[in-house]
Amino acid sequence: MSPTFHWFLPTNGDSRHVVGGGHGTAVTATGGDRPPSVGYLTQIARAAEDLGFTGVLTPTGAWCEDAWLTTAMITPLTERLKFLVAFRPGFVSPTLAAQMASTFQRHSGGRLLLNVVTGGESPEQRAYGDFLDKDARYARTDEFLRIVRALWDGRTVDLAGEHLRVEDARLARVPDPLPEIYFAGSSPAAGRVAARHADVYLTWGEPPAAVAEKIAWIRALAAREGRTLRFGIRLHVITRDTSEQAWAEARRLLDGFDPATVAAVQAGLARSESEGQRRMLALHGGRLPPAPGSGRGGETTAGLEIHPNLWAGIGLVRGGAGTALVGSHAEVAERITEYHRLGIDEFVFSGYPHLEEAYWFGENVLPRFAARAPTAPPAPVPPVPSLP
């Protein structure tokens, strides 16, 4: 299977510098350089569509614009682009969510994908009126997706669960096609929900060996449920004509990090309940390197290139996805192939600023894959998972 490529809609603002936010941290000042207006986001969406991306991911949370409303406004201004809409199941009833997805599919011509996000950090959840703890939120998500899946199948649903209850629930019209469900999470509770309900399991950009472990873990859990899943990865990207140019851009971004901002962001992220966020923090150590290192002719910094062409610098000022593929177009393509051989079929990329970086990637990396012959089947992964 050839890889599928998605881009990102920065509904928290965009800049020529890294825009922080997420997992309990506020959007950094650079988020105001290019406000997330419908006009600007439409520019990015149209560029992604013209360049050959399959879809665009929109985030969810108090730190960004609402994903449902934003994508609903942009969809009529595009033609074929799909929208990977992130939403939190605890904030809306499962019957209403199933109906919203069905309506979106009809009005968009079947261009909805759903990124189900069980929750943010507990303080943010409480601001929305949700006082469940993390494990209870995953249990609620499991009930939520059971109801939604049944409604999409055209069934009438009666369920009295621990967290959710519906009686005589049904849809007047089911979505066609059914939206695919994307799901992420590194905790045991997340793995169980993904195995039961997800079509695509997403991971943040960890080194290939760690990604292979996650794939083996989720495959084993899904096999127990009699299911198979596809796998995706979420990464930033800096691709240029030469490796030196790409690493110089990474260095430019790093030079723009204010040490006080890094310290404040890292202090907030250190309190995160997310296992995935803890894994991201472990990749960079939480501090700015003191001086340019010896890697790549001094254009990068010691300790932040954690695998060839995999740079952990973004995570110093941003919650969530904190790594980037950095290198020449050929090097970035090689790293994508490396992940694809592990079993990753879907790639969700972003870059600062998102409009310009979409062109760098779309014009120089995507054609390399479009012209390739079918790739070899994924390499075997360890049969016994070591996560979590």
Side-chain angles (χ1 to χ4, degrees):
M1 177 185 295
S2 297
T4 298
F5 297 97
H6 306 278
W7 197 241
F8 184 82
L9 282 183
T11 56
N12 57 325
D14 202 5
S15 175
R16 294 185 181 274
H17 302 280
V18 177
V19 180
H23 281 271
T25 63
V27 172
T28 52
T30 51
D33 294 351
R34 297 186 187 178
S37 66
V38 171
Y40 179 62
L41 296 175
T42 299
Q43 278 188 280
I44 297 172
R46 285 175 170 168
E49 183 170 72
D50 291 342
L51 290 164
F53 289 93
T54 295
V56 287
L57 170 67
T58 53
T60 184
W63 52 282
C64 57
E65 299 291 347
D66 178 75
W68 283 103
L69 291 174
T70 302
T71 55
M73 293 177 180
I74 296 173
T75 300
L77 305 175
T78 57
E79 295 179 1
R80 61 156 191 86
L81 191 70
K82 295 184 180 181
F83 292 88
L84 180 49
V85 177
F87 81 104
R88 296 180 183 175
F91 297 166
V92 62
S93 83
T95 307
L96 179 57
Q99 182 185 20
M100 290 166 64
S102 181
T103 299
F104 200 118
Q105 284 296 69
R106 281 191 297 280
H107 292 328
S108 69
R111 292 192 281 149
L112 175 67
L113 306 169
L114 286 178
N115 181 25
V116 177
V117 181
T118 291
E121 303 301 328
S122 288
E124 184 183 4
Q125 293 292 123
R126 291 194 291 269
Y128 283 96
D130 180 13
F131 289 84
L132 295 183
D133 62 24
K134 179 179 176 180
D135 285 341
R137 291 198 295 265
Y138 276 108
R140 179 179 59 194
T141 297
D142 183 61
E143 295 177 4
F144 183 98
L145 291 175
R146 284 171 57 194
I147 295 168
V148 168
R149 288 283 198 189
L151 290 169
W152 286 350
D153 285 342
R155 288 181 271 163
T156 298
V157 182
D158 292 283
L159 185 142
E162 182 181 358
H163 303 286
L164 298 173
R165 179 178 177 181
V166 297
E167 293 182 359
D168 199 29
R170 65 174 75 84
L171 294 181
R173 299 174 67 183
V174 298
D176 182 23
L178 296 181
E180 289 193 304
I181 291 176
Y182 290 64
F183 195 87
S186 299
S187 69
R192 290 190 293 270
V193 175
R196 291 170 186 160
H197 301 290
D199 297 299
V200 179
Y201 175 81
L202 287 174
T203 180
W204 286 329
E206 299 181 32
V211 171
E213 289 182 350
K214 276 192 171 182
I215 291 173
W217 169 50
I218 294 295
R219 275 185 177 158
L221 292 176
R224 295 173 197 167
E225 302 288 338
R227 304 183 71 240
T228 58
L229 283 68
R230 302 197 312 282
F231 294 89
I233 194 166
R234 171 79 179 93
L235 285 155
H236 306 276
V237 65
I238 303 172
T239 181
R240 294 293 187 271
D241 295 336
T242 68
S243 181
E244 291 75 18
Q245 290 170 344
W247 285 106
E249 176 63 12
R251 180 73 229 182
R252 184 192 69 80
L253 292 175
L254 191 66
D255 288 343
F257 293 176
D258 173 54
T261 299
V262 172
V265 169
Q266 294 304 306
L269 295 178
R271 297 189 291 270
S272 173
E273 301 168 333
S274 166
E275 178 62 26
Q277 185 63 70
R278 282 194 287 269
R279 293 168 70 93
M280 283 284 102
L281 293 179
L283 297 178
H284 55 64
R287 293 189 302 273
L288 277 169
S294 59
R296 309 286 173 163
E299 296 296 351
T300 186
T301 51
L304 290 179
E305 188 180 11
I306 56 176
H307 181 77
N309 306 108
L310 184 64
W311 183 59
I314 302 290
L316 289 170
V317 293
R318 185 190 191 279
T323 53
L325 296 184
V326 181
S328 68
H329 309 312
E331 288 172 334
V332 169
E334 184 179 349
R335 293 286 78 76
I336 293 171
T337 300
E338 182 178 9
Y339 282 112
H340 183 47
R341 286 174 176 163
L342 295 177
I344 297 292
D345 290 322
E346 304 216 10
F347 294 82
V348 183
F349 286 120
S350 57
Y352 298 97
H354 288 75
L355 183 60
E356 287 90 329
E357 290 298 327
Y359 280 99
W360 274 112
F361 187 90
E363 291 180 340
N364 298 288
V365 180
L366 284 184
R368 292 177 180 269
F369 288 92
R372 291 166 70 96
T375 57
V381 292
V384 180
S386 57
L387 287 177

